[in-house]
Amino acid sequence: MKFEILDAPDFGCLRVRFDGAGEQLVAEAGAMVSMSSGLKLETKARGGLLAAAKRSVLGGESFFQNSYTSTGAGQEIILASGMEGDLREHALDVGQTLFLTGGNYLAHVGERFTVDTQFGGVKGLFSGTGLFLLRLSGPGTVFFNAYGALHEVDVGPEGYVVDTDHIVGFSDSLRYELRRFNGTKGLFASGEGFVCHFSGPGKLWLQTRSPRSLARFLDPFRPVEQSSSGGS
Amino acid sequence: MQIDLLYKPSHTLARAVLQPGEGVRAESGAMVGMSPSLALSTDGPMAGGGFFKKLKRAVLSGETFFTNTFTATRAPGEVLLAPPLCGDMCVHDVRPGERLVIQGSNYVASPDTIDVDTQFQGFRRFFSGQSLFFLTAAGRGQVLLNGFGAIEALDLGEPYPDGRGRLLDTDELVLDTGHLVALTEGLDYEVTTVKAGLIASYFSGEGFVLRVRGRGRVYVQTRNREAFGRDVGSALPAKQQ
């Protein structure tokens, strides 16, 4: 398989070309932009499709993946995330692990590559900040995206502090501590304003924009439902 | 203080590098990342005093303007800053004696050698009932500004000394108020309607405009936050009263 990242850093998408039959690529559901009609598509979700659909409808975390298998040489597929921004390829060796936010996962290759959605410790910690983490383990290659540009930080022992809405992913060698950010957003915000203090060595990927900031900007512009109670 | 602008022009990230003793004030939502060695203080209602009095009107009118100040103490450090919407950022070097008038939502950061004053100058929009919120920056140093979309630096009257603007071939610039990022205070500016009469102006869709004359620099953003908010927000599900 050949991989090419197109149109980064603003509208990154991944073009994959298959060399022969039987090659497989796994991608987040909904990521397909275009593909050769010969590619075979299968949809998977942890716990089965029905369980995942339930979680999705009832507001829990869900994670659907499609697997694409080639049936001949020369087939190709283009994948893109929902968010405008950058796209990166990252290889993981056997035993190497990366934490990635669910919304920033695009695709991976590698038969023995694992994408874990249920794990304790770090996942539960970050879910309080609204972050849905995946644990990825090699061998294989993952493709991840950002809202905005991807900014890589080499974290040393002295550490680095980040706003959690901007976290894309981090190596599992990092230590992390969540804190409330002193004085953030004044009196009116709730459930916001978390920072994470990482200490290394390890790598940290940040995105230069956050979907939550966009949502907060748009919220005041939503139409207001007039309450029908109160009689007249 | 050194400011680097990375990943221009659509999702720009600013990196402010501080030497020991230097501090940077930044709009409170702007922090993306920072060195843990930086000292942090908040300039908001909690800090009390005169700043709070100036803020009160901003808060009551629905605008909020809170800042945090990051200071490097024993070691150098950095802060990464970004605005909430996509687009660019730029740096303006404030000259002594010349204040920069900044639309509130376009301010990102400035060193603590710059005096940021919250001014409430009306420019009221009769139809939306919202006032535009302006700040002024004075002193010596850089001001980091954001723009929704791209930022154009336009010079009126003569090329602005930093050589980074485009000189306009006109005496008067008419600018949609939603597209103003900042302008240098030496310029004459007034808010008017683009067509004669309020009714005609309302239906033209162009609302209120700024007429700018004289000599100075005007920063313009190529997208309008209010228009974007209305266009997208109105398509979102309604919320409870």
Side-chain angles (χ1 to χ4, degrees), chain A residues 84 151 160-161 208 222 225, chain B residues 7 11 34 78 237 239-240:
Chain A
E84 64 188 61
H151 181 75
Y160 208 74
V161 178
T208 64
R222 288 168 63 189
E225 214 164 66
Chain B
Y7 315 114
H11 304 103
M34 61 181 244
E78 68 174 45
K239 52 182 180 179
Q240 296 297 324

Side-chain angles (χ1 to χ4, degrees), chain A residues 107-165:
Chain A
H108 76 264
V109 287
E111 269 173 31
R112 291 181 294 141
F113 191 91
T114 58
V115 180
D116 206 351
T117 58
Q118 305 292 325
F119 52 98
V122 60
K123 183 179 174 68
L125 194 69
F126 279 94
S127 70
T129 68
L131 231 57
F132 167 45
L133 280 188
L134 305 171
R135 183 172 64 193
L136 312 176
S137 289
T141 301
V142 61
F143 298 89
F144 57 86
N145 52 254
Y147 179 34
L150 269 166
H151 181 75
E152 201 174 293
V153 180
D154 276 307
V155 184
E158 73 287 354
Y160 208 74
V161 178
V162 297
D163 175 86
T164 56
D165 287 345

Side-chain angles (χ1 to χ4, degrees), chain B:
Chain B
M1 176 172 87
Q2 164 80 12
I3 299 180
D4 298 320
L5 297 177
L6 311 172
Y7 315 114
K8 288 171 67 70
S10 306
H11 304 103
T12 308
L13 180 72
R15 174 171 56 203
V17 179
L18 304 167
Q19 296 309 315
E22 291 184 319
V24 64
R25 168 185 287 117
E27 192 270 319
S28 70
M31 196 277 285
V32 173
M34 61 181 244
S35 309
S37 58
L38 298 181
L40 179 63
S41 69
T42 301
D43 319 307
M46 305 309 185
F51 200 77
F52 180 40
K53 287 214 278 285
K54 290 178 194 172
L55 274 176
K56 224 161 90 168
R57 261 186 74 190
V59 165
L60 294 174
S61 75
E63 293 281 356
T64 53
F65 180 65
F66 300 105
T67 59
N68 294 304
T69 298
F70 304 83
T71 308
T73 50
R74 278 183 299 275
E78 68 174 45
V79 193
L80 302 178
L81 300 164
L85 298 178
C86 60
D88 207 354
M89 284 191 273
C90 72
V91 169
H92 176 87
D93 290 300
V94 176
R95 301 190 294 174
E98 184 188 65
R99 295 200 295 184
L100 187 70
V101 178
I102 307 165
Q103 168 131 220
S105 57
N106 294 97
Y107 172 85
V108 182
S110 52
D112 48 14
T113 54
I114 293 264
D115 202 24
V116 178
D117 195 13
T118 48
Q119 275 192 335
F120 304 88
Q121 292 207 334
F123 296 155
R124 288 184 186 283
R125 290 181 176 180
F126 300 148
F127 297 106
S128 69
Q130 290 185 337
S131 61
L132 293 178
F133 165 39
F134 286 90
L135 310 168
T136 57
R140 185 194 284 275
Q142 302 167 302
V143 179
L144 178 64
L145 304 166
N146 73 59
F148 180 33
I151 301 173
E152 296 268 320
L154 307 176
D155 294 343
L156 267 182
E158 67 190 7
Y160 195 75
D162 64 9
R164 294 191 225 133
R166 178 162 61 91
L167 182 63
L168 294 177
D169 186 17
T170 182
D171 289 334
E172 179 183 80
L173 173 68
V174 178
L175 173 68
D176 176 84
T177 49
H179 286 268
L180 174 70
V181 168
L183 46 75
T184 51
E185 207 185 21
L187 290 163
D188 294 316
Y189 50 93
E190 61 162 346
V191 177
T192 67
T193 54
V194 69
K195 286 162 96 99
L198 283 177
I199 303 288
S201 185
Y202 178 73
F203 285 109
S204 76
E206 294 300 336
F208 291 89
V209 295
L210 208 58
R211 292 183 188 274
V212 190
R213 303 180 133 262
R215 286 207 267 260
R217 158 71 55 78
V218 184
Y219 292 99
V220 169
Q221 54 195 349
T222 61
R223 290 298 180 272
N224 179 322
R225 291 164 57 103
E226 289 278 316
F228 173 65
R230 280 197 308 271
D231 287 351
V232 181
S234 61
L236 289 172
K239 52 182 180 179
Q240 296 297 324
Q241 180 78 43

